[in-house]
Amino acid sequence: MSDPRIITVRPGPGEYAWTFGGAPPVARIKPGTVLDLYTEDCFAGRVRSEKDLVSEVCDFPFLNPQTGPFYVEGAEVGDTVAVHFVSIEPARDWAASTTVPFFGALTSTHATATLQPPLPEVVWMWQLDLERRTCLFAARDSDVTVELPLDPMHGTVGVAPANLEVRSALVPDAHGGNMDTPEMRAGVTCYLGVNVEGALLSLGDGHARQGEGETCGVAVECAMNSVVIVELLKGVSTPWPRLESDGYIMSTGSARPLEDAFRIAQLDLVQWLARDYGLSQLDAYQLVTQGVESPLANVCDTNYTALAKFRKGWLPAGDPHRGLHQQLRETAARL
Amino acid sequence: MSDPRIITVRPGPGEYAWTFGGAPPVARIKPGTVLDLYTEDCFAGRVRSEKDLVSEVCDFPFLNPQTGPFYVEGAEVGDTVAVHFVSIEPARDWAASTTVPFFGALTSTHATATLQPPLPEVVWMWQLDLERRTCLFAARDSDVTVELPLDPMHGTVGVAPANLEVRSALVPDAHGGNMDTPEMRAGVTCYLGVNVEGALLSLGDGHARQGEGETCGVAVECAMNSVVIVELLKGVSTPWPRLESDGYIMSTGSARPLEDAFRIAQLDLVQWLARDYGLSQLDAYQLVTQGVESPLANVCDTNYTALAKFRKGWLPAGDPHRGLHQQLRETAARL
Amino acid sequence: MSDPRIITVRPGPGEYAWTFGGAPPVARIKPGTVLDLYTEDCFAGRVRSEKDLVSEVCDFPFLNPQTGPFYVEGAEVGDTVAVHFVSIEPARDWAASTTVPFFGALTSTHATATLQPPLPEVVWMWQLDLERRTCLFAARDSDVTVELPLDPMHGTVGVAPANLEVRSALVPDAHGGNMDTPEMRAGVTCYLGVNVEGALLSLGDGHARQGEGETCGVAVECAMNSVVIVELLKGVSTPWPRLESDGYIMSTGSARPLEDAFRIAQLDLVQWLARDYGLSQLDAYQLVTQGVESPLANVCDTNYTALAKFRKGWLPAGDPHRGLHQQLRETAARL
Amino acid sequence: MSDPRIITVRPGPGEYAWTFGGAPPVARIKPGTVLDLYTEDCFAGRVRSEKDLVSEVCDFPFLNPQTGPFYVEGAEVGDTVAVHFVSIEPARDWAASTTVPFFGALTSTHATATLQPPLPEVVWMWQLDLERRTCLFAARDSDVTVELPLDPMHGTVGVAPANLEVRSALVPDAHGGNMDTPEMRAGVTCYLGVNVEGALLSLGDGHARQGEGETCGVAVECAMNSVVIVELLKGVSTPWPRLESDGYIMSTGSARPLEDAFRIAQLDLVQWLARDYGLSQLDAYQLVTQGVESPLANVCDTNYTALAKFRKGWLPAGDPHRGLHQQLRETAARL
């Protein structure tokens, strides 16, 4: 007997959301629901060859389409929605990346504004080998090729923001959104604080892989078929998105300048250790200082995103988030 | 027959340097020299128990003593000095960490100035088990203990700065200095651009281990016995310090705000790939974007330090720094 | 005969907007309309004595009530709405200021996150003398009093944002919003680029006066009776809000870190001189460098706001914004 | 009878200092000494026509020559040196400005590093009319000319830094140095904390005028004949440079990001009001918030510099710096 709570969503044109908040839910789901989702790439699928320049083929502001939002029944302000990524699989055997004028870390931008002209707009098409789990970089200006491991992830996952706001799907902030961390891969649970009734969860922006910081602003962008389980933690607040894998607990922060993103993530991790692992704040500060891993997620989006990771094997005894990650791993294994 | 070029330096009191630049060399060495060095901890060895508060026992500005500087014969402006870390071993079975008033990432500081009072000044003494390669955290406010792996490193290694300057040993910048990256461990080669005749290399600030970002501002600080080989690359310029391990090439950047440190390191890595691996700058930008790892080093010092790492197995064919790292590995194996 | 296009709006409870975008218009107005408006203070009038702490009496996120929005007939994306401030007069003889926990420039905040406790929450009530045009500071911890000049202004004026977003009234960005510049006083024209049909203009956040930077995060907050004239410049785009007084043209930028706000404003001013005053971009860069005044507006809000001012008497011949400011001054004089 | 303590210094080639700290004193002076000084421009006088590009004619790192340093007898760590600017007069009837590759606020730089090429290197020669007190801008790409008021100032004034450091004359920090504020004009007293015995005061970098922020990185650079009086305040510490004019007291901060420079200056002003004007810190915070003026000095140098100004007429009764400014004004009037 199949689980009645598997919901499949394959949005057609015009059925995507472009914001967090402000879009009507595509479905109401009960906690525990399994979602089998198709997500389009950040270009809405319009960059399909080296000739497809974003500035010409894309229709601003209709970038970074989100599948959803989903209204999680029972979710109220102050609760936490957990999204467990069972699988994230490229839906095509190719993916695209590009420079975008005045966007990215190694160019001036509309915020870091200079009088210099933009970098050239260049598209790279990546070939994905889903059997061998690789993606192939082919240089544009030489015949160099490099094969990198496939490491599929979602750049964007979030809920409706607080403070009556509606944010573009390109923005990362306390509601999640476009955090662009390679840690958002299969096997991971993402915790998001609920800001509005029903949470209004959506996700998108699949990447076949990306480096830490997403330096040029664009990853190996790819449509995805993803299976996630959505759960609800009543009465647990989560001020900033947290992630949990089998090996790590992880806090995130999204802000500018980048040190503020770092501070938010590190403080959240310190407070997480203090709340769930029996340490005083100062003892947690010391332990985090010596044990934390601090990879960057993006240094190109509206806010920059930093992570603070702590290895579970190095934690004192504790029980974060009521053991939910382990339960979800077990549920996923049975699917 | 022992190698005549092994020089042992165990500084006595008054024989340390406190700056990069401005201190007379303790020895002139030929390229290829092996240095067997003792380095004192950043507190000049004065924090020896939980009662030894930095604000009381340390003698500002005499912090972060450096062993050296060494005058490298033949080193001229525009060359590169390579420092290969053969071994870095704790010289004691204990190490110390602490909060310092108005210093660290999760407090206001003299630069990020607020009206709030400082955090309490608390010292943590760590026990090192050199056999089992662990260091033991003992909470101050509870009886929690956590054992972390020993991972010895040097927080500070550098040469005299450019522009006629003398910088405190607490400062990281283009001359190296107090970068505080856990990547500066045994087996790694550090490349430093030469700014003054003789380079004037020194190092110190041993850490039994530290997390990425050195969040509270102070690692597990420890005196070290370290063996390094110093080499010289004539005619090779290195604008910002680079590291090379068996598995990775790494660029660093030190600046504020943190995104500028990120930009410097990422741009240097892009230019490294363009110079030594046959890619155009834009192709290198794309490849770095998808393959880079971007761990933070420190987010607490005068400048913040970020790294950009690229896995050697993912690089196109190339020969960085004339194969020096591999040669130094082989030399080290024969010591 | 009275001008038929004077519209008076005195919102009752429940009739304010709390966002830019996302709120239905309270009226449709033709270009040239004179608005006679009441604006409530940023606390929604709830801080009325030293005992009224924001954390206790205010109802988050219902802060910074806006009067409006007004749908400007004919306003389309790419046009510019001009708001001329005819008069801004305190509606009460008192005003309030306060510290707010983890908000302001000289405290850690939710973004510049530290482990320190917040500063004490203290309210200052200011007495306004509308005859003598002064406001009276009375110290809380001593009997010192200081009389400062009244200099009424609106901290918040803006239109619906671009990119499908809805932003809290506490946020300044390219759509205007909570810029908190003391330059937004009577006699000034503010130009705002139109992002959605009808523009959806609103304003609020009256200040009896404020310093540059709004250091503690809160000005001398006061309900206002304000008269403004709203005009429309068809086919003129304004990427960031601009201001014009009899003596100055002014560009604004809102971003973090603060140097990005500075860059945006300065670049906009350079481009303004290049577009309307016959200079090349580099010549304009040089002239701005030597002649600009660069006062800060706020260094406490979600984005920081900087201004770049250039004295009209130092400009080459030119005709910015079709002479609209001068026309509006003349219209205002006839009211 | 002429005052015996007037010392005239007209350095010849090779007699300038290029750093703060690290240079031997050119003279020992008693407190109260009047210095009659010639200062060369920041290019060491090498940019004399539109053809003289900095990248070609200047000899890095020999930029920004300083006249001095002067050893102030009796000055010890913890004291304050006061420099009163009696007069600052252009020594030539022309001055120069320029863009410099990868330097300035509206370009990427070596710190804000991008892959973009630099802006073109262009020189502007300004004609000074010392009678009419004007300086004439002539556009390079058109025949537009603009006359701006002469407003001579020193971009650089400072003492030897703390922490055993030697800093390039291009750097502003707690020791003063290259702050580049237009407030450093005749009639102003600058207070600098003493970090080493004798203080080692020097100054240079005359500007015929500059805008706030020194946007392109280079002001209207000019050799100067300046008369200053040097005084010593024993037992008064000054953590960051302060200025005093007849109308204002002013604090400075130099740091990156720019908000940290703002924070330092504002906190210093709050603490100044608390120390010398009988207010509690929170009352001073409130008063500064509503009354401060916050002009920027430079947003282009190694550190950015911000000022916090408070009008003397709005201060409670108090006696800052022992009334020294008023005394120096009177002494200056008698010269």
Side-chain angles (χ1 to χ4, degrees), chain C residues 83 85 88 151-157 177 179-192 203 241-243 250 252 307:
Chain C
V83 186
F85 291 87
I88 306 175
D151 188 8
M153 49 159 282
H154 278 285
T156 310
V157 51
M179 296 180 284
D180 281 324
T181 168
E183 305 287 354
M184 201 75 79
R185 55 170 68 90
V188 165
T189 305
C190 174
Y191 302 97
L192 297 159
L203 75 168
R242 290 174 175 177
L243 283 75
M250 305 176 233
T252 72
L307 265 71

Side-chain angles (χ1 to χ4, degrees), chain C residues 141 212 258-259 280 283 294, chain D residues 141 212 258-259 280 283 294:
Chain C
D141 299 325
E212 292 170 350
L258 183 55
E259 54 263 41
S280 71
D283 280 332
S294 305
Chain D
D141 299 326
E212 292 169 352
L258 183 55
E259 54 263 40
S280 71
D283 280 332
S294 306

Side-chain angles (χ1 to χ4, degrees), chain D residues 268-281:
Chain D
D268 186 73
L269 183 61
V270 167
Q271 291 176 334
W272 194 351
L273 264 63
R275 187 185 74 181
D276 289 352
Y277 295 92
L279 291 170
S280 71
Q281 283 216 342

Side-chain angles (χ1 to χ4, degrees), chain A residues 11 23 27 52 73 88 90 93 124-125 158 160 165 176 179 192 199 212 226 236 248 253 273 285 320:
Chain A
D52 295 330
E73 293 185 354
I88 305 174
D93 63 358
W124 290 265
M125 300 305 299
E165 291 203 315
M179 295 180 284
L192 297 158
E212 291 169 352
S226 295
V236 174
Y248 284 91
L273 263 64
Y285 191 22

Side-chain angles (χ1 to χ4, degrees), chain B residues 211-223:
Chain B
E212 292 169 352
E214 207 182 8
T215 314
C216 85
V218 183
V220 185
E221 307 288 340
C222 189

Side-chain angles (χ1 to χ4, degrees), chain B:
Chain B
M1 184 189 117
S2 71
D3 189 317
R5 292 183 305 166
I6 294 185
I7 295 180
T8 300
V9 178
R10 299 270 177 282
E15 295 178 353
Y16 289 98
W18 308 96
T19 54
F20 287 92
V26 297
R28 293 173 71 97
I29 62 174
K30 289 188 195 312
T33 299
V34 179
L35 296 174
D36 182 351
L37 305 175
Y38 175 85
T39 62
E40 197 34 278
D41 69 26
C42 70
F43 310 117
R46 295 182 177 209
V47 177
R48 307 180 77 87
S49 84
E50 293 175 353
K51 293 180 182 166
D52 295 331
L53 303 188
V54 165
S55 62
E56 294 174 0
V57 303
C58 289
D59 179 21
F60 294 78
F62 299 100
L63 290 171
N64 207 18
Q66 300 299 303
T67 299
F70 298 93
Y71 183 105
V72 182
E73 293 184 354
E76 295 170 299
V77 177
D79 296 339
T80 290
V81 161
V83 186
H84 180 72
F85 290 88
V86 179
S87 61
I88 306 174
E89 281 299 299
R92 299 194 273 251
D93 64 357
W94 57 268
S97 190
T98 180
T99 49
V100 176
F102 293 127
F103 181 67
L106 298 186
T107 172
S108 55
T109 65
H110 296 288
T112 306
T114 81
L115 284 160
Q116 294 159 299
L119 295 174
E121 199 172 349
V122 178
V123 174
W124 290 265
M125 300 305 298
W126 290 68
Q127 300 309 313
L128 312 186
D129 185 328
L130 302 180
E131 292 296 309
R132 298 177 51 245
R133 311 303 288 173
T134 57
C135 49
L136 185 72
F137 166 75
R140 290 292 306 266
D141 298 326
S142 66
D143 54 7
V144 171
T145 61
V146 176
E147 208 173 51
L148 299 183
L150 203 64
D151 188 8
M153 51 161 279
H154 279 285
T156 310
V157 50
V159 292
N163 299 324
L164 313 174
E165 291 203 315
V166 171
R167 303 306 307 273
S168 157
L170 295 168
V171 175
D173 209 322
H175 68 281
N178 195 24
M179 296 180 284
D180 282 323
T181 168
E183 305 287 353
M184 200 74 79
R185 57 169 68 89
V188 165
T189 305
C190 175
Y191 302 97
L192 297 159
V194 176
N195 301 303
V196 304
E197 222 182 73
L200 298 179
L201 170 76
S202 55
L203 75 168
D205 195 23
H207 298 163
R209 71 166 290 115
Q210 74 160 80
E212 292 169 352
E214 207 182 8
T215 314
C216 85
V218 183
V220 185
E221 307 288 340
C222 189
M224 292 288 171
N225 291 310
S226 294
V227 176
V228 304
I229 311 176
V230 180
E231 263 297 353
L232 181 63
L233 283 164
K234 291 296 295 179
V236 174
S237 69
T238 303
W240 283 89
R242 291 175 174 176
L243 284 75
E244 185 176 352
S245 68
D246 290 356
Y248 284 91
I249 62 170
M250 305 177 235
S251 292
T252 71
S254 295
R256 290 190 178 199
L258 183 54
E259 54 264 39
D260 273 3
F262 175 86
R263 286 180 179 118
I264 292 167
Q266 300 279 325
L267 180 62
D268 186 74
L269 183 60
V270 167
Q271 292 176 332
W272 194 352
L273 264 64
R275 186 184 76 180
D276 289 352
Y277 296 93
L279 292 170
S280 71
Q281 283 214 344
L282 283 178
D283 281 332
Y285 191 23
Q286 173 64 203
L287 184 56
V288 162
T289 298
Q290 313 312 348
V292 74
E293 295 170 50
S294 305
L296 297 172
N298 90 74
V299 191
C300 56
D301 294 321
T302 320
N303 289 308
Y304 304 139
T305 303
L307 266 71
K309 299 172 60 173
F310 207 87
R311 199 179 281 264
K312 286 179 167 178
W314 298 355
L315 284 171
D319 183 22
H321 294 121
R322 304 176 185 165
L324 182 60
H325 173 75
Q326 187 52 36
Q327 296 165 34
L328 288 167
R329 287 292 274 164
E330 289 161 14
T331 303
R334 287 193 304 266
L335 287 180

Side-chain angles (χ1 to χ4, degrees), chain A residues 121-132:
Chain A
E121 199 172 349
V122 178
V123 174
W124 290 265
M125 300 305 299
W126 289 67
Q127 300 309 312
L128 312 186
D129 186 327
L130 302 180
E131 292 296 308
R132 297 177 52 246

